[in-house]
Amino acid sequence: MSMRKPFAALALVLAFGAAPAFAQNAGLGKPISEADIKQWDIAILPDGTGLPPGSGTPAQGAQIYAQKCVACHAEGGKGGGAPGAGPLVGGAPLTNGIETQKTIANYYAYATTIFDYIRRGMPYTMPRSLKDDEVYALTAYILSLNKLIGENDAMDAKTLPQVKMPNRDNFIMPYPDRI
């Protein structure tokens, strides 16, 4: 009888049997609290769940846009100020073909997605640096440029989810039970 099989079996028992024992008290790291998780969980759902307190108007957003966005997205959200910074305004219907450029007006299904995107990723060089009121204002400005809200409409956690985006009904929810 070969001694390899018992050694192999012993090695497997030690390797897989010891792992759970070490995992329970590895002495590494620290438990993460709900407060820690909440700082990183900034997801905004289509229905507005997760939107923070605050508000902003298109006029306030225009000032912030001029300071922090125009270098990349150009005047009036026309795009082309920087590589990859496409237009934020207008756009041909997506039914024109697969090559049609996607914009906020012709593609986004929910206005809350605009807020979520801006808050997570803008300005490009300093993501997550905008205050919530600034994000609401920029969202309002962009929606106003696309004539999806009025020039005097304020966006907040109550009004933003109510904005009806033109492409809202053209998406199929992959997990509707999660919303």
Side-chain angles (χ1 to χ4, degrees):
M1 181 171 169
S2 169
M3 290 297 290
R4 288 185 173 173
K5 287 185 180 180
F7 278 125
L10 179 62
L12 285 173
V13 167
L14 289 175
F16 293 107
F22 285 116
Q24 292 176 1
N25 189 8
L28 300 174
K30 64 177 186 175
I32 191 164
S33 70
E34 286 297 320
D36 292 335
I37 293 170
K38 190 169 178 102
Q39 289 180 345
W40 286 98
D41 183 13
I42 60 170
I44 307 297
L45 298 182
D47 68 356
T49 300
L51 281 170
S55 68
T57 65
Q60 294 166 330
Q63 294 174 0
I64 298 164
Y65 185 89
Q67 296 169 358
K68 300 180 179 183
C69 309
V70 74
C72 294
H73 293 284
E75 289 291 331
K78 295 176 186 167
L88 301 173
V89 177
L94 294 179
T95 54
N96 285 356
I98 194 73
E99 298 299 324
T100 303
Q101 187 163 31
K102 295 174 181 69
T103 65
I104 288 172
N106 74 3
Y107 183 71
Y108 278 54
Y110 299 98
T112 54
T113 306
I114 301 165
F115 182 95
D116 191 48
Y117 188 87
I118 292 171
R119 185 163 77 157
R120 287 176 189 276
M122 296 294 137
Y124 182 73
T125 55
M126 296 178 59
R128 294 191 67 184
S129 64
L130 297 170
K131 296 175 185 153
D132 292 334
D133 285 339
E134 292 176 310
V135 178
Y136 276 116
L138 284 170
T139 304
Y141 177 65
I142 293 166
L143 291 170
S144 175
L145 286 175
N146 281 289
K147 306 211 181 307
L148 298 171
I149 65 169
E151 293 178 4
N152 298 317
D153 291 343
M155 292 292 104
D156 57 24
K158 186 174 182 179
T159 58
L160 186 59
Q162 296 174 4
V163 175
K164 173 87 170 146
M165 300 298 287
N167 201 31
R168 177 180 280 187
D169 299 329
N170 295 323
F171 279 84
I172 298 170
M173 286 291 184
Y175 306 104
D177 56 321
R178 293 184 186 175
I179 294 179

